Amino acid sequence: MNPTLASVVEGHGEMTAVPELLRRLVYARAAFSVNVLPPIRCLKNKIVRCRRGAEEIDSSELERAIRLAARRLPSPDRGAILILIDADTSCPASVGSAIRELAMAVCPTVPIGVVLPKHEYEAWLLAAVDSLGNYLSPSAVPVRDPEAVQDPKRRLSELMPHGRSYRETVDQVRFSSIFDLEQARTCRSFRKLESEVDRLLRIICRETADGAET
C-alpha cells in the first residue's frame, strides 16, 4: 500500500486547490508514490468560537472531519492528515496549537500536521504575483507583505484584469497549479506548510519502507 496524505480544509476553493498544491510539494520532494486524497471540508466557524472575548475550540465538528479523514487512510502507519484552515483574525500559533492537541487526542496513532495561513490561503498567491502571468492585470505588482493584508481575496480581485474578480472556486486551483513556490516562501505560514509536509512525508515514507523490509 502506498503512503497516503489526507487533508482537512475549510473553503470550497481549497477542496481542489489544496490537493493540487500538495501534489506539487510531494513531487518536488520526489515522493512520487504518495497518494494525495480529496480533502474533508470543515468550516472554521464551526471549529473556533468566540466566548466571552476568548477563542475556544469546538471539538465536535473537527473530530468528525478528522475521523472521516483517518478512515480514508489505508492504515495508521501508511498515512497522515494535514489540517489547513485560514487563520483570518485568529492567532495562527495559539489556535494551531489547540487544533493540533485536539487532533492528536482524536487520532493518536496517525501523524497529523496543522497549518493556518495568515490571514488566508490567498496570501501565498499574493506573494507569488509575478508568477501568475496573464491571469492578472498587466499593471499588477507584487505585494510587499502579503501576510499583513487583511483580505487577500479582495486584493487579488483588485489585481485581476478589468471586468474580472477573483473567483475562489475557479481561480484558486488554477493559481495553485502555477504559482512560484520560492516566491511564496516569503510567507512564514507557507514555510510552515512546507515544514509540516516534509515532516509528515518523512514519517509515512519511512514507515512504508520499514514495512516493506520486514
Side-chain angles (χ1 to χ4, degrees):
M1 293 181 289
N2 286 342
T4 300
L5 186 58
S7 59
V8 175
V9 304
E10 180 179 5
H12 287 292
E14 280 94 347
M15 291 293 291
T16 51
V18 168
E20 179 65 29
L21 177 56
L22 291 180
R23 280 189 287 268
R24 291 185 65 193
L25 295 176
V26 165
Y27 293 159
R29 287 148 178 81
F32 304 113
S33 65
V34 174
N35 295 327
V36 176
L37 299 180
I40 302 295
R41 187 165 179 246
C42 184
L43 298 179
K44 186 191 173 194
N45 61 13
K46 292 186 177 181
I47 301 173
V48 182
R49 301 182 185 274
C50 188
R51 294 185 176 92
R52 299 178 182 177
E55 290 184 324
E56 298 178 359
I57 303 299
D58 187 329
S59 63
S60 58
E61 184 68 11
L62 185 58
E63 283 187 20
R64 177 198 66 83
I66 293 170
R67 293 187 191 281
L68 280 175
R71 282 202 291 269
R72 294 184 175 185
L73 300 176
S75 65
D77 60 347
R78 292 292 189 271
I81 300 172
L82 177 74
I83 301 172
L84 196 153
I85 296 173
D86 290 344
D88 297 317
T89 59
S90 302
C91 171
S94 62
V95 172
S97 178
I99 290 176
R100 182 190 298 276
E101 183 177 343
L102 172 62
M104 292 176 66
V106 173
C107 286
T109 61
V110 177
I112 294 177
V114 179
V115 178
L116 275 70
K118 183 181 177 182
H119 292 270
E120 295 174 343
Y121 181 108
E122 282 77 9
W124 302 341
L125 305 179
L126 287 176
V129 159
D130 281 345
S131 62
L132 298 181
N134 295 331
Y135 289 114
L136 301 183
S137 167
S139 61
V141 295
V143 177
R144 178 170 296 179
D145 187 358
E147 291 187 302
V149 177
Q150 296 291 323
D151 190 346
K153 290 185 179 69
R154 179 177 178 181
R155 179 65 66 88
L156 273 174
S157 283
E158 294 170 352
L159 299 178
M160 298 293 284
H162 180 70
R164 274 212 59 197
S165 60
Y166 173 75
R167 294 175 296 169
E168 180 182 352
T169 54
V170 174
D171 296 315
Q172 191 171 2
V173 63
R174 177 185 296 161
F175 292 172
S176 294
S177 69
I178 62 171
F179 79 87
D180 188 280
L181 302 180
E182 181 63 34
Q183 293 178 19
R185 292 185 186 116
T186 60
C187 292
R188 182 178 180 181
S189 60
F190 187 79
R191 297 196 300 273
K192 169 68 171 176
L193 170 69
E194 290 196 303
S195 175
E196 287 290 80
V197 169
D198 286 340
R199 181 179 65 85
L200 296 177
L201 290 180
R202 283 196 301 269
I203 295 171
I204 63 178
C205 291
R206 182 182 68 240
E207 290 181 347
T208 301
D210 291 345
E213 292 173 1
T214 58

